[in-house]
Amino acid sequence: MSTQTPSRPEVRQQTDLVIGLSAVIVAVTGDDPKVLVVRHCGGREALPSGPLERGHRTLETGLRNWVERQTLQKLGYVEQLYTFGDRDRSETDGANATRALSVAYLALVREARPAGDADAAWQSWYRYFPWEDWRDGRPPVLDALEPVLRDWAAADVRATRGERLSLAFGFGERGVWDEERALERYELLYEAGLVGEALREQNAGRAAPLAGSVEMAVDHRRMLALAIARLRGKIKYRPVVFELMPPSFTLLQLQRTVEALGGVRLHKQNFRRLVEQQRLVEETGEATAETGGRPARLVRFRREVLLERPAPGVRLPVAGGRR
Amino acid sequence: MSTQTPSRPEVRQQTDLVIGLSAVIVAVTGDDPKVLVVRHCGGREALPSGPLERGHRTLETGLRNWVERQTLQKLGYVEQLYTFGDRDRSETDGANATRALSVAYLALVREARPAGDADAAWQSWYRYFPWEDWRDGRPPVLDALEPVLRDWAAADVRATRGERLSLAFGFGERGVWDEERALERYELLYEAGLVGEALREQNAGRAAPLAGSVEMAVDHRRMLALAIARLRGKIKYRPVVFELMPPSFTLLQLQRTVEALGGVRLHKQNFRRLVEQQRLVEETGEATAETGGRPARLVRFRREVLLERPAPGVRLPVAGGRR
DNA sequence: AGCCTTATGCTCAATTTTAGCATAACGGTC
DNA sequence: GACCGTTATGCTAAAATTGAGCATAAGGCT
């Protein structure tokens, strides 16, 4: 009750505990942001993952091990996302339930290899989140979603649901689409019973799962939503996009990559100006004629920017396509 | 080797595992950013923390429990920071070492109560990081640190240390101080053997620990560094400062709070304009004469901004004091 | 040559930032 | 009551950044 000193080994409980390690591995090929998924035992798609083992010196090495074993994919840039630990994540096999924590990571890789293993495959992440892709205007799924969500909000005694909706989806009149709120959107859909995962645990007969968006195993889709949100945010103040680019590339390729991640279109000239005046890239001297029209210069990432400015990122000059 | 499916309960290992929960609890009183510390068994100062127990539904409730038990402090805003899991964190009691994971959280509270429990105390965080406070110009500790760090970098075969130094501390000629890099700075000092914690594990006879900065138990100072870095970043794009403010306050109080966290001075008029034109606050109608000069209007946080703009934060208009 | 497509250069106006100047309003002091 | 120190606030000119487009360049193709 009173003065407790923390972490006394004698009182250590003997609860069964498993630490899971999961990776959201992202690559961009052409116009699509891809994520590496494996086929789960239960048939559902899952993120590469496995339990932390005694042999793993750090969580991150454990993760790399599992990913390489499962997908034959080497990881470059890796960053920790979040640790999930709710008790209801765990498998309840009787009174002595095993508690399952899960540490999720985000990894960025350059080339999406043709998924070394048969069970591993690269999939566009918009397959799981069709409402997140605004590059060709308002995604059609939202037409189906909006009324259901509004009803769900209206059934709320306190006004809080409606507020959260307008925040996440920009439903209100002055509402704007904030691409960084991908996680909040997924969580709202989950609460409203509009994603398949929500219906699994309790067969509460709420709305039917939403056609057109693919489920994932356990809470892996939530992890993916978090990864998307984080990446969309981070790209703006740290030059992480370049982790996804080949050694040399054209400015349009860079723009398409940023657009793929953000799910929005950008104003071309302004994007180039931004990238160039921030001196994020430098000339290679070469050019490529692959793209159809006038050949484009090939550039490469200027590593030195990391030393020069506090927060070099690719700010997103949004194109007309809003609303 | 090949097709492994993840998380099969049968193979679950019986390793001893403890999940620690630690909280960096922050408040700002007057001009100082405070953190709540408890006196550790070993005599060192520590963050409030304790092991995850079976009764805890979520990691966060577990954390809140421990904090309230140890410090009698209720938590408001809480956010997960990071999970530390390196094997060398663990206590090695023979071959069967217990692996200790630790999930660190950041919490923001309004009033720094006089530390309910005798073992708990509010301390300025600059006590542990004197080099992070640039509000009165370049902190004097850096004069002692810089040459030692430079020597350490010079002793490096590859040039990578020097690069990291100029990145983190802005030592180069064009170098700038980026307040958000608090964690990187701590880690460099750790590697260079300039903080006490570094000398504990291996009595490698490197440089002496730096006088003038206070150690903490285990890796708690690293957690604090991470919390500072995250908070300094987050403040700019989410209105989290207001979690630290009383219900009504003056613009100068708000500015002092932001300055305390960032460790930098801001341009007064520009700060006010920013806050006002972003409509982060609204009038209460009252005023206060407490501050000496002309009475200041009292304002309160305008919750509605959360619904209006994608990323409302207090961007930092730095005052002259750079360099 | 003419057309389509992508690459690039440049401009103009609207906004936002930076850095100060100037004035207001209160509590003392002489 | 005038004067001073202190903090609050209003306002502005100049510089820098953004948002939107126009216009031209340079390939491939028919």
Side-chain angles (χ1 to χ4, degrees):
Chain A
M1 184 88 286
S2 65
T3 337
Q4 305 266 6
T5 46
S7 67
R8 295 135 306 158
E10 335 81 54
V11 230
R12 176 195 317 150
Q13 346 145 238
Q14 203 38 270
T15 312
D16 272 325
L17 238 179
V18 184
I19 308 294
L21 302 168
S22 303
V24 178
I25 307 168
V26 174
V28 176
T29 54
D31 280 0
D32 271 312
K34 297 279 179 68
V35 60
L36 191 52
V37 298
V38 297
R39 197 145 281 284
H40 206 69
C41 31
R44 288 214 186 76
E45 298 176 28
L47 299 173
S49 43
L52 175 67
E53 288 171 357
R54 171 169 302 204
H56 300 146
R57 189 180 338 278
T58 67
L59 297 176
E60 202 182 298
T61 55
L63 180 89
R64 288 177 191 266
N65 272 348
W66 276 111
V67 169
E68 284 175 30
R69 247 191 280 181
Q70 283 175 19
T71 69
L72 309 182
Q73 172 76 48
K74 279 257 180 193
L75 300 186
Y77 177 94
V78 169
E79 121 182 18
Q80 190 182 292
L81 274 178
Y82 197 78
T83 299
F84 298 86
D86 289 9
R87 201 168 41 186
D88 58 5
R89 293 189 72 252
S90 319
E91 315 146 30
T92 29
D93 45 352
N96 202 330
T98 296
R99 183 153 202 153
L101 256 67
S102 197
V103 188
Y105 283 80
L106 167 64
L108 305 180
V109 302
R110 290 205 156 70
E111 5 79 85
R113 290 220 218 130
D117 203 64
D119 283 348
W122 289 99
Q123 297 284 358
S124 165
W125 75 30
Y126 293 120
R127 176 177 147 94
Y128 312 99
F129 302 97
W131 54 86
E132 293 289 341
D133 187 2
W134 284 61
R135 286 175 296 172
D136 302 313
R138 190 175 203 267
V141 229
L142 279 176
D143 296 335
L145 280 175
E146 179 160 0
V148 189
L149 281 169
R150 281 187 186 277
D151 285 355
W152 173 76
D156 180 29
V157 266
R158 297 152 306 174
T160 155
R161 284 184 186 171
E163 223 175 63
R164 292 169 62 208
L165 273 189
S166 80
L167 232 185
F169 288 90
F171 280 166
E173 58 287 355
R174 232 184 339 180
V176 280
W177 180 260
D178 181 354
E179 73 277 352
E180 287 185 44
R181 299 201 186 263
L183 179 61
E184 284 149 86
R185 285 187 283 269
Y186 176 75
E187 288 182 339
L188 279 165
L189 290 170
Y190 188 102
E191 283 183 55
L194 291 171
V195 293
E197 286 88 341
L199 306 174
R200 271 184 227 156
E201 42 179 278
Q202 16 165 359
N203 297 30
R206 280 181 285 179
L210 185 77
S213 92
V214 176
E215 290 181 41
M216 295 185 88
V218 275
D219 51 0
H220 287 188
R221 190 145 57 140
R222 183 184 306 267
M223 294 180 188
L224 182 50
L226 175 58
I228 294 172
R230 274 275 251 291
L231 188 49
R232 284 179 172 180
K234 191 145 195 172
I235 213 181
K236 292 174 191 159
Y237 59 93
R238 288 287 134 104
V240 280
V241 221
F242 300 104
E243 300 289 339
L244 297 165
M245 304 300 295
S248 80
F249 47 87
T250 69
L251 289 177
L252 188 58
Q253 279 167 22
L254 182 63
Q255 181 180 344
R256 292 288 178 240
T257 302
V258 174
E259 289 175 337
L261 299 175
V264 290
R265 286 264 166 244
L266 306 179
H267 182 285
K268 185 165 171 172
Q269 293 94 321
N270 289 348
F271 176 82
R272 318 171 104 258
R273 183 179 54 188
L274 208 65
V275 170
E276 296 203 306
Q277 83 174 21
Q278 292 199 142
R279 308 220 306 143
L280 290 169
V281 299
E282 64 191 1
E283 304 278 337
T284 62
E286 293 165 281
T288 175
E290 280 168 17
T291 43
R294 169 175 171 177
R297 298 142 45 215
L298 282 168
V299 296
R300 72 171 76 89
F301 177 47
R302 244 187 88 246
R303 301 215 157 274
E304 298 86 332
V305 288
L306 291 173
L307 301 176
E308 294 167 359
R309 263 195 331 300
V314 183
R315 294 210 270 338
L316 303 182
V318 180
R322 283 247 158 170
R323 176 69 301 208
Chain B
M1 183 85 285
S2 66
T3 337
Q4 304 266 6
T5 46
S7 67
R8 294 135 307 159
E10 335 81 56
V11 232
R12 176 195 317 147
Q13 345 147 237
Q14 204 37 270
T15 312
D16 272 325
L17 237 178
V18 184
I19 308 295
L21 302 169
S22 303
V24 178
I25 306 168
V26 174
V28 177
T29 53
D31 280 1
D32 270 313
K34 297 280 179 65
V35 60
L36 191 52
V37 299
V38 296
R39 197 144 282 284
H40 206 69
C41 31
R44 289 215 184 77
E45 299 177 27
L47 299 173
S49 43
L52 175 67
E53 289 170 357
R54 172 169 303 204
H56 300 145
R57 193 184 331 282
T58 67
L59 297 176
E60 202 182 297
T61 55
L63 180 89
R64 286 176 192 267
N65 272 348
W66 276 111
V67 169
E68 284 174 31
R69 248 191 279 181
Q70 283 174 19
T71 69
L72 309 183
Q73 172 76 48
K74 279 259 180 189
L75 300 185
Y77 178 94
V78 169
E79 118 182 19
Q80 191 182 293
L81 274 178
Y82 197 78
T83 299
F84 298 86
D86 288 10
R87 202 169 40 189
D88 57 5
R89 294 188 71 252
S90 320
E91 315 146 28
T92 29
D93 47 351
N96 203 329
T98 297
R99 183 154 204 152
L101 256 68
S102 197
V103 187
Y105 282 81
L106 167 64
L108 305 180
V109 302
R110 292 205 155 70
E111 5 77 87
R113 290 218 220 131
D117 203 63
D119 283 348
W122 288 100
Q123 297 285 358
S124 166
W125 75 31
Y126 293 120
R127 176 175 145 94
Y128 312 98
F129 303 97
W131 54 86
E132 293 290 341
D133 188 2
W134 284 62
R135 286 176 295 173
D136 302 312
R138 192 175 202 266
V141 228
L142 278 176
D143 295 335
L145 279 175
E146 179 159 359
V148 188
L149 280 169
R150 280 186 186 280
D151 285 355
W152 173 75
D156 180 28
V157 265
R158 296 151 306 171
T160 154
R161 283 184 187 171
E163 222 176 66
R164 291 169 61 207
L165 273 190
S166 78
L167 232 185
F169 287 90
F171 280 165
E173 58 285 357
R174 233 183 338 180
V176 280
W177 179 260
D178 181 354
E179 75 276 353
E180 287 186 43
R181 299 202 188 263
L183 178 61
E184 284 148 87
R185 286 187 282 270
Y186 176 75
E187 288 182 339
L188 279 165
L189 291 170
Y190 187 101
E191 283 183 56
L194 291 171
V195 292
E197 286 88 341
L199 307 174
R200 269 185 230 158
E201 41 179 281
Q202 15 164 2
N203 297 29
R206 280 181 284 178
L210 185 74
S213 93
V214 176
E215 290 182 42
M216 295 185 88
V218 274
D219 51 0
H220 288 188
R221 190 144 59 139
R222 183 183 306 267
M223 293 180 190
L224 182 49
L226 175 58
I228 294 172
R230 275 276 250 290
L231 189 49
R232 284 179 172 179
K234 191 146 195 171
I235 213 181
K236 291 174 193 160
Y237 60 93
R238 288 287 135 105
V240 280
V241 223
F242 300 103
E243 301 290 339
L244 298 165
M245 304 300 296
S248 80
F249 47 87
T250 70
L251 289 176
L252 188 58
Q253 280 168 21
L254 182 63
Q255 180 180 345
R256 293 287 177 242
T257 302
V258 174
E259 289 175 336
L261 298 175
V264 291
R265 286 264 166 245
L266 306 179
H267 182 286
K268 185 164 171 172
Q269 293 94 320
N270 290 346
F271 176 83
R272 320 172 101 258
R273 187 187 45 196
L274 207 66
V275 170
E276 296 203 306
Q277 83 173 23
Q278 291 199 142
R279 309 218 307 143
L280 289 171
V281 299
E282 63 191 2
E283 304 279 338
T284 63
E286 294 165 280
T288 176
E290 280 168 18
T291 42
R294 168 176 171 177
R297 298 142 45 216
L298 282 169
V299 296
R300 73 170 77 90
F301 177 47
R302 243 187 90 246
R303 300 216 159 271
E304 298 86 331
V305 288
L306 291 173
L307 301 176
E308 293 167 1
R309 261 194 332 300
V314 183
R315 294 208 271 340
L316 303 183
V318 179
R322 282 245 158 171
R323 173 71 300 203

